[in-house]
Amino acid sequence: MAIMTYADAAKAGLAEEMRRDPHVWAVGEDLGRGGVFGQYGGMLAEFGPERISDAPISEACIMGAAVGAAMMGTRPVVEMRFSDFALCAIDELVNQAAKARYMFGGQARVPLVVREPIGMWRSSAAQHSQSLESWYTHIPGLVVVCPSSPADNKGLLKTAIRSDDPVVYMEHKGLWPVEGEVPEGDHLVPFGKANVLREGRDVTIVSWSAQVHLCMKAAEQLAKDGIEAEVIDLRTLWPWDKDRVLASVEKTGRLIVAQEAVSVSGFGAEIAATVSETLHGALKAPVKRLGAPRIPVSYAPPLEDKARVTADQIAAAATALVGR
Amino acid sequence: MAIMTYADAAKAGLAEEMRRDPHVWAVGEDLGRGGVFGQYGGMLAEFGPERISDAPISEACIMGAAVGAAMMGTRPVVEMRFSDFALCAIDELVNQAAKARYMFGGQARVPLVVREPIGMWRSSAAQHSQSLESWYTHIPGLVVVCPSSPADNKGLLKTAIRSDDPVVYMEHKGLWPVEGEVPEGDHLVPFGKANVLREGRDVTIVSWSAQVHLCMKAAEQLAKDGIEAEVIDLRTLWPWDKDRVLASVEKTGRLIVAQEAVSVSGFGAEIAATVSETLHGALKAPVKRLGAPRIPVSYAPPLEDKARVTADQIAAAATALVGR
Amino acid sequence: MTDRRNIDANRVVDHCRMMWRIRAFEENALRGLDEKIVLGAIHPTIGQEAIATGICANLNRDDVLLSTHRGHGHTLAKGANPEAMMRELFGKEGGNCGGKGGSMHIADFGVGMLGANGVVSANIVIAAGAGHAIKLKGEKKVVCCIFGDGAINRGPFLEGLNWAVVFNLPVLFVCEDNGFAATTRTKTMTGGDGPSARARSFGLQAKEIDGNDVMAVDETAREMIDAIRNGGGPRFLHAHTYRLTGHTGSDPATYRPKEEVEEKWKDDPIVRASALVDGQKDAIEKAKAEAYAEMSRAFDVAKAASFPSADLAFTDVQDAGDPRQGAY
Amino acid sequence: MTDRRNIDANRVVDHCRMMWRIRAFEENALRGLDEKIVLGAIHPTIGQEAIATGICANLNRDDVLLSTHRGHGHTLAKGANPEAMMRELFGKEGGNCGGKGGSMHIADFGVGMLGANGVVSANIVIAAGAGHAIKLKGEKKVVCCIFGDGAINRGPFLEGLNWAVVFNLPVLFVCEDNGFAATTRTKTMTGGDGPSARARSFGLQAKEIDGNDVMAVDETAREMIDAIRNGGGPRFLHAHTYRLTGHTGSDPATYRPKEEVEEKWKDDPIVRASALVDGQKDAIEKAKAEAYAEMSRAFDVAKAASFPSADLAFTDVQDAGDPRQGAY
Ligand SMILES: Cc1ncc(C[n+]2csc(CCOP(=O)(O)OP(=O)(O)O)c2C)c(N)n1
Ligand SMILES: Cc1ncc(C[n+]2csc(CCOP(=O)(O)OP(=O)(O)O)c2C)c(N)n1
Ligand SMILES: [Mg+2]
Ligand SMILES: [Mg+2]
């Protein structure tokens, strides 16, 4: 095991796949200079400008070109810089990439990975802070990945690159500098397998991406009060590990879903609805969803903070559910 | 009361608002010729080409220009032709229209209406059949309207035009020729008030847009078996009439949410999650969500039909819930 | 205007054969629409056959073509099987896309036809990417991307052309200018001097030609495709034509005077091509008859075919996840 | 190059005053960044002051301006209050946007400044629409839309310019060409002959000028704005300049040689303008001193101000619905 940052782990994963398969290439604005967050730093030297390719400010063409290049047998990894800018390329992703295989009756494969850094960072305001993962879970044809740790960011990125489906790969901007252990060698994390970060008998807390870390913090607080929370990191939202979540809730009888995204029509609703329907009888308390209010993200910290779901809120919700 | 089609009712509503307020104007491709579905038929003659304005094939600019024109004190009604093409204008809608008022600290108002015909029609396949209403409910700043009847299509369109918020106004392509009674005069339907189409004690069925008609059909079938369904047409998804839905489910103890959209992360999940959480104790059975599988819509009828939620399925789900 | 003196008569006959095949295919498709066995909208290419024909005659089988909603002619000219296409239009088993696509998503990857597209202009950026892949792989293929005159007002036109120039990609962009975008005369919605002027401003070499002159299309396409294949970078071909039918098969096109359409019928590209080679009248008549027979057979076979089995709705969505999860 | 003989000395002094105000504002903003009281990214306009200044000197208060992420200079030149702007950068109460926007969304509707924009090129289509409203209302206002050289590779550039031509709208489009898009030399990512050539191909009259020559900007802007106001339709101004700082306040800009930047400092637009009017040295020095005093005061006031109250997070979202529904 090596200790690496989330950014470096992704870089290692991408570099390994690029060494393994000459048809893997990355394209996006300013990639040659290492990318906005340094996540491509130094790669130009090894792979050259054709495979770590700068692009014009043309999100629609970056995405659309990736669709064409994927259909022609390469494996593009496209960088959207901030997930917000992927909104300039939604037709290309949703109407083209996601549907090509199906519309053409299986003649096409579109093996592309769209890297879309999500989430609140520092005072980045309404056009640089969104978490729209639930949108993509609603679109047939797309895989949705939200890694929360360096190890997963390496292992899931490698799996995404090898996937024959288009993958929306959402790294959280707040996680780039976070360090963690990353297994050596060809570390692959499969889609659809949740990670149980902590076992517990009293309440299940499901989350993904950066919010997972707040859930762990909440679980630690709860443990001091004698409440044992089971914390599940979904890792991928489509497919999502329904079986693992249901098994946990069958054991605990209680579920909290915590997300950074806006609560209304967030992916938390899908989980809450599914679990409520499937385990209606087994639930000791109603499923509790936590998510942001339906407000754009502000610049000023006190306002921005109102869009955050905190560890304290998660702990308080769990305490209320457990009824202590 | 006059009998009108869904298309004509909208046209009457738009014309009334255009007569009332000289700053209301409509813009979109081929509007002068009446629009793809005839929903602007004949309006050019009354209002002239500046107010029933043709546009280049430029969805991004149609939407973006509407944002600018709305900020400058006019009230554009923009036509996207098929909701699928609005995906070419998502940045303009989500990053600009929805956020301008907030980002600029209340200095801007963006009173625009985006008409986005949704849903399956006849063999229109994957790029002309989508129902993405849940996306817009997830975006702070947007109002989401899904009228199911001629009367509502007039009354809600008029309300939408008078709204100071940007409104995503989703008419269903299958409903254009449907006839119904439309109140005379200045008929306005408020946002956030559901329409109870049928009262019943056994099960609540919540729906919106064209799916409402299938729910009514199911309710009639159910009535023959002695099951009395209460059918609620939400009309608007943001805001949505939570109080009315909760009151109904408190009475019936059972809820079905039926939608044409893909079930996964559809708006049905939001309703199901909300009701499951709020009325956990009062539910006699788990909330049942009905929606499309996570597949693109096909061209060939047998495949296309697999993306439909039928009246029979709704009735069967209700029967199962009621336990007969 | 094609010079009759140096004409390759056999090539003209071949072009006439292809144009008649396209014409006959479209007429049978329209018949299918009348009989209500074509299920969705179709956008006929009648009157525009010379462009598909002249260009595709210069493409190899492993060259790649991207088309639009109005894609039947291009698809046939690239070598697709008309029976499979007709099955697709009728939503039947054995259609190129297994009934999942229909007319607006017709595709035959086996002959390098990577798809019609229901979104105007969307094929342009995809084509740029196809060219990008060819360059990355060091192949000698060429990509041809055909779109309408309405498409040049959408952003992907700028983004895709700029991309192809910046990366020096092997892409031939073809603007099939029939004067209309649906019911609107495109000129009224287009600023400036039009497609070629725009393409030049993005750095492409461009030529504007009479797209109803099949030999002119053929010759210009050959020159451009040769240059592209030899690493010369993208080229732009602006071909004027006229849509002799409505926008869709069911559009009566009352937005244009009858006289205009009558006048344009005199410019029918097949008639014009036939007139280039007086001695080949019989050969062309024979090709025409064969074409109609072929397409009528395709019609009959497709009509008699079954619909695909309903469970196929769940295949080819994606590898990961269960598409039925949470449904109904 | 501005001809010194017919120069209006007072106008030059006024321009110098405005340019110093912008420079001083930016330097104080950078100081705020150092002190970590500027909270998000800022994109300084140091070196580019002449364009904002020369253009806005020809706009009326009720004319309208749309800007980009690099919008401080434009906003000040349009007449916004620097104290409110500095408060906004510090996320404080009394900021133009109440702390909701920050640098990238700075706006002052009271002086016709309809917003910076965090999405490159997005302001272009919004500007077209603002012009559309002016035309519909029969007003005599002009819209000015400023964007960078990187913005011309996104689709909205084509769509917005085409729109303005088709509808003959009163919009001045200004490409502020500083040679870079973030860390990339824009030329390497741009096909063809650049902004003006593209604009002309869409049907706009265009001029390419030295954007560090404030009097040249002033004069060209005046001509164009007059023509626009008189119904002449949209115009395009391509102004060359250089970004003397990094892309953001914290970018060391190591992707360009030190010598290049040193050379470009010699082309400082304020120094150049001052050199036009020898007799005004004192007036300009005085204006400079006042500018620094003003911006330093703005800094102090903004620094001392309070953060907005947290509940304001829930205001100005929209009229319909409860933004708290389902939260936390
Ligand atoms: C993005 C988008 N907007 C609108 C449409 C609806 N539409 C289909 S075809 C068409 C006209 C296209 O005109 P042109 O590009 O000239 O092609 P033609 O039909 O003349 O071959 C329009 C507006 C669409 N398919 N996609
Ligand atoms: C659609 C979009 N893509 C990418 C970015 C990230 N970005 C911010 S500024 C910038 C460079 C813009 O260059 P230019 O337009 O020349 O303006 P300049 O910064 O030079 O003033 C980029 C790529 C963005 N804000 N929006
Ligand atoms: Mg056309
Ligand atoms: Mg620049």
Side-chain angles (χ1 to χ4, degrees):
Chain A
M1 294 268 194
I3 301 286
M4 281 188 198
T5 65
Y6 186 81
D8 284 343
K11 196 198 299 182
L14 175 58
E16 284 174 20
E17 293 307 302
M18 288 182 70
R19 280 177 213 127
R20 197 182 58 80
D21 180 348
H23 291 137
V24 177
W25 59 296
V27 59
E29 299 148 19
D30 301 298
L31 285 208
R33 299 292 313 174
V36 180
F37 304 100
Q39 70 273 51
Y40 301 88
M43 293 189 73
L44 179 66
E46 177 173 356
F47 299 103
E50 293 226 316
R51 295 182 67 202
I52 296 291
S53 179
D54 281 345
I57 307 179
S58 275
E59 283 73 13
C61 196
I62 295 172
M63 190 82 80
V67 175
M71 293 199 312
M72 291 292 284
T74 70
R75 295 184 169 271
V77 174
V78 312
E79 175 57 54
M80 285 284 124
R81 215 168 168 125
F82 284 74
S83 71
D84 313 72
F85 305 154
L87 301 191
C88 302
I90 285 291
D91 174 61
E92 290 72 17
L93 180 61
V94 169
N95 278 333
Q96 312 296 338
K99 297 184 171 58
R101 177 173 171 186
Y102 193 85
M103 278 188 315
F104 299 142
Q107 298 182 79
R109 283 290 185 290
V110 188
L112 67 84
V113 180
V114 194
R115 294 177 77 175
E116 300 197 5
I118 56 169
M120 279 179 267
W121 196 29
R122 45 167 179 76
S123 287
S124 302
Q127 291 176 337
H128 288 74
S129 302
Q130 289 166 97
S131 295
L132 295 179
E133 64 273 15
S134 83
W135 274 27
Y136 304 111
T137 63
H138 190 50
I139 303 300
L142 297 180
V143 170
V144 184
V145 180
C146 295
S148 72
S149 70
D152 284 356
N153 205 16
K154 180 173 180 190
L156 286 165
L157 185 57
K158 283 167 64 86
T159 301
I161 292 169
R162 295 187 195 181
S163 159
D164 283 339
D165 297 330
V167 178
V168 181
Y169 195 89
M170 306 181 113
E171 288 154 296
H172 196 289
K173 293 188 283 283
L175 296 178
W176 294 119
V178 168
E179 294 191 328
E181 293 200 334
V182 178
E184 314 278 350
D186 203 22
H187 173 58
L188 290 161
V189 176
F191 294 156
K193 288 276 162 245
N195 193 10
V196 180
L197 289 173
R198 180 181 178 119
E199 300 199 2
R201 58 170 186 264
D202 297 322
V203 57
T204 303
I205 305 181
V206 170
S207 192
W208 57 90
S209 190
Q211 195 70 32
V212 161
H213 300 275
L214 298 170
C215 294
M216 285 300 283
K217 219 170 126 186
E220 281 157 32
Q221 288 175 36
L222 289 163
K224 289 186 195 137
D225 298 335
I227 296 175
E228 290 303 329
E230 179 145 308
V231 178
I232 300 181
D233 175 3
L234 281 186
R235 287 174 162 159
T236 67
L237 301 192
W238 189 267
W240 67 282
D241 197 346
K242 195 172 134 183
D243 294 342
R244 193 66 200 76
V245 171
L246 292 175
S248 175
V249 180
E250 272 184 81
K251 176 176 72 175
T252 63
R254 301 180 184 91
L255 173 63
I256 288 175
V257 186
Q259 62 198 328
E260 177 174 329
V262 166
S263 180
V264 173
S265 295
F267 192 66
E270 177 63 28
I271 299 171
T274 302
V275 172
S276 297
E277 181 179 345
T278 317
L279 296 182
H280 182 69
L283 284 172
K284 297 178 191 152
V287 175
K288 175 76 189 160
R289 258 190 306 160
L290 296 171
R294 205 168 170 279
I295 57 175
V297 176
S298 274
Y299 176 84
L303 310 185
E304 189 190 55
D305 284 345
K306 282 285 168 193
R308 291 181 197 276
V309 176
T310 62
D312 285 348
Q313 286 165 344
I314 298 167
T319 307
L321 272 200
V322 174
R324 301 229 188 125
Chain B
M1 294 268 194
I3 302 284
M4 281 189 199
T5 65
Y6 185 81
D8 284 344
K11 197 200 295 183
L14 175 58
E16 283 173 22
E17 293 307 301
M18 289 182 70
R19 282 177 211 126
R20 198 182 58 80
D21 180 349
H23 291 138
V24 177
W25 59 297
V27 59
E29 299 148 20
D30 302 296
L31 285 208
R33 300 291 314 174
V36 180
F37 304 100
Q39 70 273 50
Y40 301 87
M43 293 188 75
L44 180 67
E46 177 173 355
F47 299 105
E50 294 226 316
R51 295 182 67 203
I52 296 290
S53 180
D54 281 346
I57 307 179
S58 275
E59 283 73 15
C61 196
I62 295 172
M63 190 81 82
V67 174
M71 295 200 309
M72 291 292 284
T74 70
R75 293 184 171 272
V77 174
V78 313
E79 175 57 54
M80 285 285 123
R81 213 167 170 127
F82 285 74
S83 71
D84 313 73
F85 306 154
L87 301 192
C88 303
I90 285 291
D91 173 61
E92 290 72 16
L93 180 61
V94 169
N95 279 332
Q96 313 296 338
K99 297 185 171 55
R101 177 173 171 186
Y102 193 86
M103 278 189 315
F104 299 142
Q107 296 181 82
R109 282 292 186 288
V110 188
L112 67 85
V113 179
V114 194
R115 294 178 77 175
E116 300 196 3
I118 56 169
M120 279 179 268
W121 195 29
R122 45 167 179 77
S123 288
S124 302
Q127 293 176 335
H128 289 74
S129 302
Q130 289 167 96
S131 295
L132 295 179
E133 63 273 16
S134 84
W135 275 27
Y136 304 112
T137 63
H138 190 51
I139 303 300
L142 297 179
V143 170
V144 183
V145 180
C146 295
S148 71
S149 71
D152 283 357
N153 205 15
K154 180 173 180 191
L156 286 166
L157 185 58
K158 284 167 64 86
T159 302
I161 292 169
R162 295 188 196 182
S163 159
D164 283 339
D165 297 330
V167 177
V168 180
Y169 195 88
M170 305 181 114
E171 288 153 296
H172 195 288
K173 294 189 283 285
L175 296 178
W176 295 118
V178 168
E179 295 193 327
E181 294 200 330
V182 178
E184 314 277 349
D186 204 21
H187 172 59
L188 291 160
V189 176
F191 295 156
K193 287 277 162 243
N195 193 10
V196 180
L197 289 174
R198 179 182 178 117
E199 299 200 2
R201 57 169 189 264
D202 297 321
V203 57
T204 303
I205 306 181
V206 170
S207 192
W208 56 91
S209 190
Q211 195 71 34
V212 162
H213 300 275
L214 298 170
C215 295
M216 286 299 283
K217 219 170 126 189
E220 281 156 33
Q221 288 177 34
L222 289 164
K224 289 185 196 138
D225 299 334
I227 296 175
E228 290 302 329
E230 179 145 308
V231 178
I232 300 182
D233 174 4
L234 280 186
R235 286 173 163 162
T236 67
L237 302 192
W238 190 267
W240 68 282
D241 197 347
K242 194 172 134 182
D243 293 343
R244 193 65 200 77
V245 171
L246 292 175
S248 175
V249 180
E250 270 184 83
K251 177 176 71 176
T252 63
R254 300 180 186 89
L255 174 63
I256 288 175
V257 186
Q259 61 198 329
E260 178 173 329
V262 166
S263 181
V264 174
S265 295
F267 193 65
E270 176 63 27
I271 299 171
T274 303
V275 173
S276 297
E277 180 178 346
T278 318
L279 297 181
H280 182 69
L283 284 172
K284 296 177 192 154
V287 174
K288 175 77 189 158
R289 259 190 304 160
L290 296 171
R294 202 167 172 281
I295 57 175
V297 176
S298 273
Y299 176 84
L303 310 184
E304 189 190 54
D305 284 345
K306 283 286 168 192
R308 291 181 198 276
V309 177
T310 63
D312 285 347
Q313 285 165 343
I314 299 166
T319 308
L321 272 199
V322 174
R324 300 231 188 123
Chain C
M1 184 63 90
T2 299
D3 178 348
R4 291 181 55 165
R5 285 164 304 182
N6 326 322
I7 223 125
D8 173 347
N10 290 333
R11 200 159 172 96
V12 175
V13 174
D14 285 346
H15 288 335
C16 286
R17 176 175 298 111
M18 181 58 79
M19 290 195 285
W20 278 122
R21 290 181 69 228
I22 298 173
R23 179 78 49 96
F25 182 89
E26 296 293 33
E27 289 180 8
N28 277 284
L30 286 168
R31 177 152 69 102
L33 197 69
D34 272 351
E35 294 189 22
K36 299 200 192 316
I37 46 182
V38 163
L39 304 162
I42 57 171
H43 300 82
T45 66
I46 291 175
Q48 308 187 181
E49 296 90 346
I51 299 173
T53 301
I55 286 168
C56 292
N58 294 287
L59 293 174
N60 300 333
R61 190 186 170 96
D62 66 354
D63 288 333
V64 162
L65 180 72
L66 289 111
S67 175
T68 65
H69 56 285
R70 198 176 304 286
H72 302 168
H74 312 145
T75 308
L76 270 173
K78 190 67 177 68
N81 175 346
E83 190 191 297
M85 290 173 63
M86 201 67 86
R87 284 172 182 258
E88 190 62 33
L89 265 52
F90 296 178
K92 297 295 180 69
E93 201 174 61
N96 313 68
C97 307
K100 282 177 168 147
S103 167
M104 269 197 278
H105 309 300
I106 205 136
D108 187 343
F109 279 55
V111 299
M113 199 297 179
L114 302 199
N117 207 308
V119 179
V120 166
S121 204
N123 62 339
I124 299 178
V125 287
I126 299 175
H132 214 127
I134 289 169
K135 186 178 174 196
L136 286 170
K137 292 167 110 178
E139 296 171 339
K140 271 261 179 188
K141 297 178 191 170
V142 168
V143 178
C144 174
C145 177
I146 310 186
F147 46 85
D149 44 327
I152 72 162
N153 290 326
R154 275 202 65 224
F157 175 72
L158 177 148
E159 297 196 17
L161 267 62
N162 182 62
W163 189 280
V165 171
V166 165
F167 295 105
N168 196 45
L169 301 178
V171 187
L172 174 63
F173 295 100
V174 179
C175 181
E176 194 167 56
D177 182 354
N178 60 13
F180 287 87
T183 70
T184 300
R185 284 195 199 266
T186 318
K187 278 228 157 125
T188 62
M189 290 293 143
T190 304
D193 293 332
S196 305
R198 291 184 183 189
R200 283 191 200 104
S201 82
F202 307 145
L204 289 96
Q205 290 187 32
K207 255 194 189 160
E208 195 165 344
I209 62 167
D210 177 352
N212 279 9
D213 179 346
V214 70
M215 293 308 287
V217 177
D218 182 355
E219 197 180 308
T220 314
R222 182 166 48 244
E223 277 169 27
M224 288 190 160
I225 289 168
D226 281 352
I228 293 166
R229 207 182 295 283
N230 291 321
R235 293 288 190 280
F236 191 85
L237 178 53
H238 175 192
H240 290 278
T241 183
Y242 192 83
R243 195 188 71 204
L244 290 169
T245 67
H247 172 57
T248 62
S250 43
D251 167 22
T254 51
Y255 42 83
R256 53 192 198 184
K258 257 212 309 248
E259 301 72 45
E260 176 179 314
V261 183
E262 274 161 21
E263 196 54 39
K264 291 293 186 178
W265 266 108
K266 298 185 191 147
D267 197 40
D268 179 344
I270 315 190
V271 176
R272 280 181 59 186
S274 308
L276 290 174
V277 284
D278 304 325
Q280 305 291 333
K281 222 171 155 190
D282 292 349
I284 293 172
E285 276 307 314
K286 181 156 168 282
K288 174 180 174 181
E290 284 166 2
Y292 276 93
E294 178 190 13
M295 299 310 165
S296 160
R297 243 180 353 256
F299 181 99
D300 294 339
V301 172
K303 186 173 174 176
S306 312
F307 282 124
S309 140
D311 332 318
L312 294 173
F314 301 104
T315 62
D316 280 320
V317 181
Q318 63 185 108
D319 293 338
D322 172 7
R324 286 182 164 94
Q325 187 172 314
Y328 316 122
Chain D
M1 183 63 91
T2 299
D3 177 350
R4 292 181 56 167
R5 285 163 305 182
N6 331 320
I7 224 129
D8 173 347
N10 290 333
R11 201 159 171 97
V12 175
V13 174
D14 285 348
H15 288 335
C16 286
R17 176 176 299 110
M18 181 58 80
M19 292 194 285
W20 278 121
R21 290 181 69 229
I22 298 173
R23 179 77 50 95
F25 182 89
E26 295 294 34
E27 289 180 8
N28 277 281
L30 286 168
R31 177 153 68 102
L33 198 69
D34 272 351
E35 293 189 21
K36 299 202 191 320
I37 47 181
V38 163
L39 303 162
I42 57 171
H43 300 83
T45 66
I46 291 175
Q48 307 187 184
E49 296 91 346
I51 299 173
T53 300
I55 286 168
C56 292
N58 294 288
L59 293 174
N60 300 332
R61 189 186 170 97
D62 66 354
D63 288 333
V64 162
L65 181 72
L66 288 110
S67 175
T68 65
H69 56 285
R70 199 176 303 285
H72 302 167
H74 312 145
T75 309
L76 270 173
K78 190 67 177 70
N81 175 344
E83 189 191 299
M85 290 173 61
M86 201 67 86
R87 284 171 183 258
E88 190 62 32
L89 264 53
F90 297 179
K92 298 296 181 68
E93 199 174 65
N96 312 67
C97 306
K100 282 177 170 148
S103 167
M104 269 197 278
H105 308 301
I106 205 136
D108 187 342
F109 280 55
V111 299
M113 199 295 182
L114 301 198
N117 207 308
V119 180
V120 166
S121 203
N123 62 339
I124 299 178
V125 287
I126 300 176
H132 214 129
I134 289 169
K135 186 179 175 198
L136 286 170
K137 293 167 110 179
E139 295 172 339
K140 271 263 180 186
K141 296 177 192 171
V142 168
V143 177
C144 174
C145 177
I146 310 186
F147 45 85
D149 43 328
I152 72 163
N153 290 327
R154 275 202 65 225
F157 175 73
L158 176 149
E159 297 196 17
L161 267 63
N162 182 62
W163 189 281
V165 170
V166 165
F167 295 105
N168 195 44
L169 302 177
V171 186
L172 174 64
F173 295 99
V174 179
C175 180
E176 195 167 56
D177 183 352
N178 60 15
F180 286 87
T183 70
T184 300
R185 284 195 200 266
T186 318
K187 279 228 158 127
T188 62
M189 290 292 141
T190 304
D193 293 332
S196 304
R198 293 185 182 188
R200 282 192 199 102
S201 82
F202 307 145
L204 289 96
Q205 290 188 31
K207 257 194 188 160
E208 194 166 344
I209 62 167
D210 177 353
N212 278 9
D213 178 347
V214 71
M215 293 309 287
V217 177
D218 182 354
E219 198 180 307
T220 314
R222 182 166 49 246
E223 277 169 28
M224 288 191 160
I225 290 168
D226 281 352
I228 293 166
R229 207 181 297 282
N230 291 320
R235 292 288 190 282
F236 191 85
L237 179 53
H238 175 191
H240 290 279
T241 183
Y242 192 83
R243 194 189 72 205
L244 290 168
T245 68
H247 171 57
T248 62
S250 43
D251 166 22
T254 50
Y255 42 83
R256 53 194 198 183
K258 257 214 308 254
E259 300 73 42
E260 175 179 315
V261 183
E262 273 161 21
E263 195 56 39
K264 291 294 187 178
W265 266 106
K266 297 184 192 149
D267 195 42
D268 180 343
I270 316 189
V271 175
R272 279 180 59 185
S274 307
L276 291 173
V277 284
D278 305 325
Q280 304 291 332
K281 220 173 157 191
D282 293 351
I284 292 172
E285 276 305 314
K286 183 158 168 277
K288 173 180 176 181
E290 284 168 2
Y292 276 93
E294 179 191 12
M295 298 310 165
S296 157
R297 245 182 350 259
F299 181 100
D300 294 339
V301 173
K303 184 173 175 176
S306 311
F307 282 124
S309 141
D311 330 320
L312 293 173
F314 301 104
T315 62
D316 280 319
V317 181
Q318 62 185 109
D319 293 340
D322 172 7
R324 285 181 166 93
Q325 189 173 313
Y328 315 124

